[in-house]
């Protein structure tokens, strides 16, 4: 679990409580049921379309997705790479002797971060309002160490292209990966989708989110509950890079995301709703991204240090590692655990999975399970 950093759920440092500059005025959040799937703060790949929800296996783990228009859609606006996503559970465990680093089955596990902090990109000539893209890229470059370079002949690149909604893959998935932008997708939505493309999940997926927010499952549109799982519940591992959930994160769902009733789906612990924003990366966003892509920002010399701990009076210290300092858990013989998406039995200080009628020993190699023989 320690070295898989691609999954970043972003941090709270300073509260950027509410945006007073809405990024789009074409949609509002106050229309009750209208807001069920469409508000400015809930990017969706295919607005007003609903697909069958099923479990798929991707990158060695199982997670619930919606199947729509030939795509596996996760949490509304995230696409999973079709060629490395399968419905076959057996793919979770490598055969004896298979090298996790050289098998196709590890696709998606090792390529999530963009090498050298550099995202190559191109823009579909048919995409309207391309300033959304260039403005969003400028914002990223001004605030993070991620560089965006117009693609010439590189194999792996982001392609900004028109689509039904706003969507992206998470991290670098290999080849040309689209970020789709419907006309309604704003510069802020584009900043959010770029966040996915560099490896971010949604803020409310943090493992520790229940300390800050309450998910109101009864108010969620039926069948869309999976959009509110934490990454742990969804079978992912990863890291939260700073203390606590950041309601100001550009990756945060709104209080009304996927509401069936117009009642909030997410509130603070005290029951109150909150404002989210789609204007800019929050201080917490910038801090977390700095852990994934360290270095000076591309367009300024500013360095990110502890001075960003403002606003909340919290004593958070910089980008201090989480995830890497977790103590090794102690496993109890006779207990079942779900690790890396596989339910395994601890017995005789070894790991076992049931295959047919038999129990077979497995081992964990570089984050992948493998049969011992
Ligand atoms: Zn998103």
């Amino acid at each position: 679990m320690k070295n898989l950093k691609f999954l970043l759920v972003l941090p709270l440092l300073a509260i950027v409580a509410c945006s007073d500059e809405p990024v789009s005025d074409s949609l509002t959040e106050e229309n009750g049921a209208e807001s069920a799937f469409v508000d400015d703060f809930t990017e969706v790949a295919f607005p007003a379309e609903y697909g069958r929800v099923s479990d798929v296996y991707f990158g060695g783990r199982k997670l619930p997705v919606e199947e729509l228009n030939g795509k596996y859609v996760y949490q509304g606006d995230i696409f999973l790479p079709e060629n490395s996503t399968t419905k076959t559970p057996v793919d979770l465990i490598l055969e004896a002797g298979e090298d996790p680093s050289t098998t196709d089955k590890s696709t998606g596990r090792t390529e999530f971060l963009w090498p050298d902090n550099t995202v190559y990109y191109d823009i579909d000539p048919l995409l309207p309002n391309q300033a959304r893209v260039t403005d969003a890229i400028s914002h990223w470059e001004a605030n993070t160490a991620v560089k965006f370079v117009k693609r010439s002949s590189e194999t792996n690149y982001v392609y900004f292209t028109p689509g039904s909604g706003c969507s992206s893959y998470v991290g670098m998935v290999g080849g040309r990966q689209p970020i789709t932008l419907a006309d309604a997708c704003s510069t802020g939505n584009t900043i959010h989708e770029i966040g996915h493309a560099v490896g971010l999940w949604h803020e409310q997926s943090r493992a520790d989110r229940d300390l800050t927010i309450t998910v109101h499952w009864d108010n969620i549109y039926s069948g869309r509950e999976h959009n509110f799982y934490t990454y742990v519940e969804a079978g992912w591992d990863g890291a939260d890079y700073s203390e606590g959930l950041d309601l100001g994160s550009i990756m945060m769902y709104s209080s009304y995301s996927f509401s069936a009733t117009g009642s909030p789906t997410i509130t603070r612990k005290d029951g109150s709703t909150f404002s989210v924003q789609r204007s800019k990366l929050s201080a917490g966003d910038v801090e977390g991204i700095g852990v994934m892509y360290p270095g000076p920002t591309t367009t300024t010399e500013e360095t990110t240090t502890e001075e960003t701990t403002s606003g909340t009076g919290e004593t958070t210290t910089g980008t201090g590692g989480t995830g890497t300092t977790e103590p090794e858990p102690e496993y109890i013989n006779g207990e079942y655990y779900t690790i890396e998406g596989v339910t395994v039995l601890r017995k005789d200080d070894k790991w076992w999975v049931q295959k047919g009628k038999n129990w077979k020993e497995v081992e964990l190699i570089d984050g992948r399970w493998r049969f011992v023989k």
Side-chain angles (χ1 to χ4, degrees):
M1 285 213 162
K2 330 100 209 162
N3 35 19
L4 294 167
K5 293 302 184 198
F6 58 83
L7 188 147
L8 171 62
V9 196
L10 284 166
L12 169 67
L13 265 195
I15 289 182
V16 184
C18 44
S19 165
D20 44 14
E21 37 175 305
V23 276
S24 163
D25 56 8
S26 59
L27 303 163
T28 68
E29 212 186 341
E30 299 105 320
N31 310 345
E34 277 299 300
S35 70
F37 289 92
V38 187
D39 67 23
D40 291 353
F41 314 105
T42 313
E43 290 81 3
V44 285
F46 301 107
E49 287 188 66
Y50 318 111
R52 194 159 53 87
V53 176
S54 58
D55 286 332
V56 295
Y57 297 83
F58 166 65
R61 37 179 62 84
K62 181 173 79 170
L63 69 172
V65 296
E66 206 174 330
E67 293 183 64
L68 269 171
N69 302 316
K71 297 282 192 185
Y72 296 121
V73 183
Y74 182 61
Q75 294 207 338
D77 67 335
I78 295 169
F79 290 152
L80 298 186
E82 300 76 26
N83 58 6
S84 50
T85 301
T86 171
K87 294 186 169 179
T88 311
V90 71
D91 278 355
L92 289 178
I93 304 175
L94 301 170
E95 296 304 323
E98 260 188 295
D99 179 354
S101 66
T102 59
T103 59
D104 287 345
K105 291 172 186 174
S106 68
T107 302
R109 293 296 296 279
T110 56
E111 298 178 295
F112 274 86
L113 293 186
W114 292 81
D116 302 323
N117 285 14
T118 305
V119 176
Y120 292 95
Y121 74 96
D122 203 355
I123 303 175
D124 188 334
L126 298 176
L127 181 73
N129 187 8
Q130 299 190 2
R132 292 178 288 178
V133 175
T134 50
D135 288 351
I137 284 176
S138 299
H139 181 77
W140 267 88
E141 292 197 325
N143 291 282
T144 73
V146 182
K147 297 186 285 285
F148 295 81
V149 176
K150 202 82 184 282
R151 180 236 184 196
S152 49
S153 60
E154 287 78 11
T155 308
N156 301 325
Y157 64 104
V158 168
Y159 192 62
F160 295 92
T161 189
S164 311
C166 325
S167 69
S168 178
Y169 290 81
V170 169
M172 190 185 84
V173 297
R176 179 169 102 171
Q177 59 184 90
I179 285 180
T180 69
L181 298 173
D183 288 353
C185 303
S186 65
T187 300
N189 297 136
T190 308
I191 296 171
H192 174 105
E193 297 304 338
I194 291 174
H196 288 313
V198 303
L200 309 186
W201 297 102
H202 290 131
E203 179 72 1
Q204 76 280 349
S205 303
R206 285 181 65 114
D208 62 359
R209 61 102 185 273
D210 291 333
L211 298 173
T212 309
I213 55 172
T214 301
V215 174
H216 299 275
W217 299 97
D218 290 348
N219 295 338
I220 297 170
Y221 194 94
S222 178
R224 298 300 168 273
E225 294 83 358
H226 64 278
N227 289 340
F228 294 81
Y229 291 174
T230 66
Y231 65 85
V232 176
E233 289 166 335
W236 294 88
D237 58 7
D240 298 336
Y241 284 123
S242 76
E243 284 189 26
L245 177 141
D246 180 4
L247 294 175
S249 168
I250 201 161
M251 306 308 289
M252 181 68 203
Y253 272 8
S254 80
S255 276
Y256 298 95
S257 293
F258 298 100
S259 170
T261 59
S263 300
T265 50
I266 307 174
T267 63
R268 291 191 181 91
K269 297 305 287 182
D270 66 6
S272 62
T273 58
F274 52 87
S275 299
V276 292
Q277 58 90 21
R278 287 295 184 270
S279 304
K280 59 186 180 183
L281 297 166
S282 69
D285 291 338
V286 169
E287 182 200 10
I289 294 156
V291 179
M292 293 173 82
Y293 297 97
T297 59
T298 312
T299 57
T300 70
E301 288 304 304
E302 219 174 294
T303 55
T304 52
T305 54
E306 286 85 343
E307 87 254 4
T308 50
T309 50
S310 58
T312 63
E314 291 202 7
T315 53
T316 314
T317 52
T319 57
T322 58
T324 52
T325 54
E326 282 171 28
E328 282 294 315
E330 273 190 33
Y331 298 109
I332 302 162
N333 283 318
E335 296 276 331
Y336 288 90
Y337 299 89
T338 299
I339 300 172
E340 301 290 349
V342 178
T343 300
V344 285
L345 171 67
R346 188 72 168 170
K347 186 166 173 287
D348 301 332
D349 293 325
K350 294 174 180 169
W351 294 111
W352 303 83
V353 295
Q354 196 161 18
K355 194 177 185 190
K357 280 185 279 185
N358 302 316
W359 286 91
K360 297 199 68 170
E361 187 184 348
V362 291
E363 56 190 347
L364 196 56
I365 311 275
D366 293 341
R368 298 297 312 273
W369 288 105
R370 186 169 76 177
F371 290 110
V372 171
K373 57 186 175 184

